[in-house]
Amino acid sequence: QVQLLQSGAEVKKPGASVKVSCKVSGSTLSQLSIHWVRQTPGKGLEWMGSFDPEVGEPLYPQQLRGRVTVTEDASTDTAYMDLSSLKSDDTGVYFCATDLFRGSFPLFDLWGQGTVVTVSS
Amino acid sequence: DIQMTQSPSSLSASVGDTVTITCRASQRINRYLNWYQHKPGNAPKLLIFATSSLERGVPSRFSGTGSGTDFTLTITTLRTEDFATYYCQQTYGTPPMFSFGQGTKLEIK
């Protein structure tokens, strides 16, 4: 079955960047939309960005535009989320997710296990 | 971007109770509304999609209603495993921007 396997925990200093990976198994990236969501103590769940092959370009929320970049490597079926200019309130758990159902209403029905990112001086 | 406002932000209830969580969108989103359950240390879990469709394997004590801008999640006959944080998510637009509500933490009374 399809699985999403994320990279391990990261500890970064303020101002640095972090890159989290999400490897697809049981399918290929070309068939899946990959979404990035984080859970931080202050803000709950926050959508960070997506790449849908049917759209053909990444999508970002207004509040993170310019700091977050989502990319994909089709040769390894791995998606990446890069967050720059890290601050202490970026500390949290970062998830990738996908829509396996692919119906008329988008949804996130399969999730990676999460990657803990800690930003501390 | 569409803003989602959930209420209440926290809720205390007992096993066997029925609870309702509401979610309001800043503009009409038709039926493009999902609900997730999130427990610490786990990935979020999809409960309901398209306002009222139950995800496979989710117990029927969970139900969703609404349209336009106002939506509700109802959990009947609460069980201990239902105590978690619940989020609504809108997926309206072409392409959609997937904003979440701020969450409702359901705690045991």
Side-chain angles (χ1 to χ4, degrees):
Chain A
Q1 76 274 26
V2 182
Q3 292 182 306
L4 303 178
L5 184 61
Q6 297 184 223
S7 49
E10 301 268 10
V11 180
K12 296 292 183 180
K13 293 193 182 301
S17 297
V18 67
K19 193 167 189 173
V20 179
S21 68
C22 174
K23 181 168 176 57
V24 176
S25 64
S27 184
T28 62
L29 268 180
S30 63
Q31 297 180 316
L32 299 174
S33 55
I34 297 293
H35 311 281
W36 292 91
V37 176
R38 67 179 177 179
Q39 191 264 321
T40 58
K43 289 189 176 182
L45 294 182
E46 181 181 15
W47 172 62
M48 300 186 69
S50 300
F51 191 90
D52 187 335
E54 292 187 5
V55 176
E57 61 182 17
L59 303 172
Y60 304 112
Q62 181 68 35
Q63 69 271 19
L64 288 174
R65 212 161 284 160
R67 289 184 62 210
V68 63
T69 305
V70 298
T71 56
E72 299 191 340
D73 182 345
S75 68
T76 60
D77 287 314
T78 303
Y80 298 92
M81 186 283 301
D82 199 319
L83 184 64
S84 62
S85 303
L86 289 169
K87 301 170 282 189
S88 59
D89 60 3
D90 292 316
T91 293
V93 185
Y94 289 69
F95 296 96
C96 60
T98 192
D99 180 351
L100 290 181
F101 186 58
R102 299 295 275 181
S104 301
F105 293 85
L107 49 86
F108 300 175
D109 57 357
L110 178 69
W111 295 70
Q113 82 277 19
T115 297
V116 176
V117 174
T118 304
V119 182
S120 174
S121 55
Chain B
D1 293 357
I2 298 172
Q3 308 302 314
M4 305 301 292
T5 303
Q6 275 182 246
S7 61
S9 56
S10 65
L11 181 56
S12 182
S14 301
V15 171
D17 284 354
T18 294
V19 297
T20 298
I21 298 168
T22 65
C23 183
R24 173 165 287 177
S26 60
Q27 67 181 71
R28 292 182 65 85
I29 58 170
N30 297 337
R31 296 179 63 81
Y32 288 83
L33 193 284
N34 304 326
W35 290 97
Y36 297 84
Q37 178 191 68
H38 192 205
K39 296 180 180 179
N42 292 342
K45 175 185 175 183
L46 177 68
L47 299 175
I48 288 171
F49 63 96
T51 298
S52 59
S53 296
L54 203 62
E55 171 70 342
R56 284 174 300 175
V58 173
S60 59
R61 63 181 182 274
F62 292 91
S63 63
T65 62
S67 66
T69 60
D70 295 314
F71 302 86
T72 60
L73 171 71
T74 299
I75 314 170
T76 59
T77 317
L78 277 172
R79 299 179 59 145
T80 54
E81 59 265 34
D82 298 336
F83 292 94
T85 302
Y86 293 85
Y87 294 90
C88 61
Q89 177 200 37
Q90 68 82 19
T91 64
Y92 180 77
T94 307
M97 307 293 268
F98 302 94
S99 47
F100 289 90
Q102 78 275 24
T104 296
K105 186 173 184 179
L106 176 59
E107 298 174 302
I108 297 178
K109 187 181 291 183

